[in-house]
């Protein structure tokens, strides 16, 4: 009897586990990974993000970390914001000459320095770093082993300016399109979900904003504001670049608002705003991310174009477009045109490839083709 019961237990088959189907975003990512150019572009943008975050550790004349008078400081953070550099170095009159002043004012001090001793805002002078000659100026600043990308007319290293200019380029794209994405998604969601009068009013607002030229508005604001900053430019690009996102979001919400899962949520008493942002929005983000990606590339081009014309980031902020403007003034200094121009071209191309790959991976009509 005992053997029979054991045999019966062995004959009982365990219930089969139902394999969970991958989500839409998981399928999109799998398809995106098979597009080599899009993946290379994504890796390149990730590399630029790392350069922007660690710019003070890559090129600079301020220590990444140092011990001075018994305390630990991070002077290189002053490249991000001047207030983040400890006031003790101003009080002790370092005047940005850290190598000679650290040992002279505190023999027990130590410091960890950036990979490249070059400053994005000023010229490095003779023996500022022991045994190192000063940067050449004017037309003599050709690329060399000491100055990889050469120097500008003032003797400021171009490589250091491009490294720190990456922060400005990426910040303009991310911040401006972040503002545009928030405005566009909210306006498009409200217009597409409610329809009727709200849709008509918001559609007219979208059409009015589409008629506003971004460059002309930026130039007008620069003429009015006494001290324009890069943040004004980001805000203007974001506040005028959301119309395409809003139109796509509106179309997706109009298509999904009659779906079964939305009707089921309504019958169970779920609130309207919860339906919009919890149920419909996650299912409509895929086509909306594509114009955001292309918009980042467009924002970088706008910032570079304005800097090229002399209306970009105010000095002393380094910018790729500002370097191009310097090269335009003296065509013999070809390195001021070639290296920043290639950086702008590669960044814009990478974002466009990512947008194209995302579009092909998320659109069922394109992914099969």
């Amino acid at each position: 009897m005992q053997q029979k019961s054991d045999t019966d237990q062995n004959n009982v088959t365990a219930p089969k586990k139902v394999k969970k189907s991958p989500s839409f975003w998981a399928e999109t990512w799998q398809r995106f990974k098979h597009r080599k150019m899009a993946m290379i572009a994504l890796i390149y943008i990730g590399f630029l993000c790392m350069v922007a975050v660690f710019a003070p550790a890559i090129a600079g004349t301020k220590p990444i970390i140092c011990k001075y008078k018994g305390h630990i400081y991070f002077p290189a953070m002053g490249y991000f914001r001047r207030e983040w550099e400890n006031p003790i170095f101003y009080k002790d009159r370092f005047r940005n000459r850290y190598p000679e002043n650290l040992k002279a004012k505190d023999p027990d001090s130590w410091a960890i320095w950036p990979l490249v001793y070059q400053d994005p805002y000023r010229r490095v002078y003779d023996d500022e770093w022991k045994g190192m000659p000063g940067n050449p100026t004017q037309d003599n600043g050709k690329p060399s082993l000491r100055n990889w990308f050469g120097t500008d007319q003032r003797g400021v290293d171009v490589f250091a300016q491009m490294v720190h200019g990456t922060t400005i380029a990426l910040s303009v794209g991310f911040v401006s399109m972040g503002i545009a994405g928030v405005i566009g998604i909210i306006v498009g969601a409200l217009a597409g979900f409610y329809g009727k009068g709200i849709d008509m009013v918001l559609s007219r607002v979208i059409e009015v904003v589409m008629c506003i030229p971004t460059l002309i508005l930026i130039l007008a604001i620069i003429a009015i504001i006494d001290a324009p900053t890069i943040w004004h430019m980001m805000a203007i690009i974001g506040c005028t670049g959301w119309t395409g996102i809003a139109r796509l979001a509106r179309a997706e919400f109009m298509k999904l608002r009659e779906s079964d899962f939305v009707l089921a949520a309504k019958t169970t008493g779920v609130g309207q705003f919860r339906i919009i942002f919890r149920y419909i929005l996650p299912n409509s983000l895929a086509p909306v991310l594509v114009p955001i990606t292309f918009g980042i590339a467009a924002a970088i081009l706008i910032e570079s174009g304005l800097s090229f014309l002399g209306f970009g980031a105010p000095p002393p902020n380094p910018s790729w477009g500002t370097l191009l403007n310097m090269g335009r003034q003296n065509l013999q200094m070809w390195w001021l045109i070639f290296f920043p121009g290639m950086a702008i071209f590669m960044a814009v191309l990478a974002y466009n490839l990512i947008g194209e790959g995302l579009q092909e991976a998320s659109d069922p009509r394109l992914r099969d083709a």
Side-chain angles (χ1 to χ4, degrees), residues 121-325:
Y121 302 112
R122 64 176 183 84
R123 176 176 179 258
V124 173
Y125 295 94
D126 292 331
D127 288 329
E128 186 174 325
W129 185 272
K130 189 174 181 180
M132 180 177 174
N135 288 347
T137 58
Q138 300 300 327
D139 298 347
N140 299 320
K142 295 180 179 180
S144 62
L145 293 177
R146 184 160 46 88
N147 304 108
W148 297 346
F149 292 174
T151 61
D152 60 16
Q153 294 180 344
R154 302 168 299 160
V156 184
D157 187 74
V158 174
F159 175 77
Q161 293 184 71
M162 289 190 60
V163 168
H164 288 260
T166 306
T167 306
I168 294 178
L170 296 185
S171 297
V172 169
F174 288 141
V175 174
S176 60
M177 293 316 298
I179 296 172
V182 171
I183 298 174
I185 289 173
I186 292 176
V187 172
L190 296 177
F193 183 79
Y194 290 105
K196 298 181 180 179
I198 295 178
D199 181 25
M200 184 181 66
V201 172
L202 292 179
S203 296
R204 300 295 83 76
V205 172
I206 293 173
E207 292 171 359
V208 170
V209 176
M210 287 179 65
C211 298
I212 301 175
T214 303
L215 282 175
I216 302 301
L217 183 60
I218 291 176
L219 294 176
I221 296 297
I222 290 176
I224 295 173
I225 299 177
D226 292 334
T229 64
I230 192 68
W231 298 100
H232 293 103
M233 185 189 304
M234 297 178 190
I236 296 172
I237 295 174
C239 291
T240 57
W242 56 268
T243 53
I245 301 170
R247 296 176 73 181
L248 276 175
R250 172 181 173 271
E252 288 296 312
F253 269 77
M254 292 182 70
K255 180 177 67 175
L256 293 174
R257 69 182 180 186
E258 303 298 335
S259 302
D260 293 338
F261 69 91
V262 176
L263 297 176
K266 289 181 179 179
T267 56
T268 56
V270 179
Q272 292 181 345
F273 281 96
R274 182 173 174 79
I275 292 175
I276 292 174
F277 295 105
R278 177 65 180 84
Y279 290 88
I280 302 181
L281 183 59
N283 293 282
S284 62
L285 275 181
V288 173
L289 290 177
V290 176
I292 291 178
T293 306
F294 288 125
I296 294 176
I300 294 175
L301 272 180
I302 291 175
E303 188 278 330
S304 301
L306 287 171
S307 298
F308 177 75
L309 296 174
F311 298 103
N317 292 324
S319 170
W320 296 345
T322 303
L323 289 171
L324 279 176
N325 186 29

Side-chain angles (χ1 to χ4, degrees), residues 92-111:
D92 291 351
R93 298 182 179 180
F94 270 59
R95 296 171 182 169
N96 294 323
R97 302 289 188 90
Y98 282 88
E100 57 187 48
N101 283 308
L102 279 176
K103 288 299 180 182
K105 299 179 184 295
D106 182 11
D108 296 329
S109 64
W110 55 263

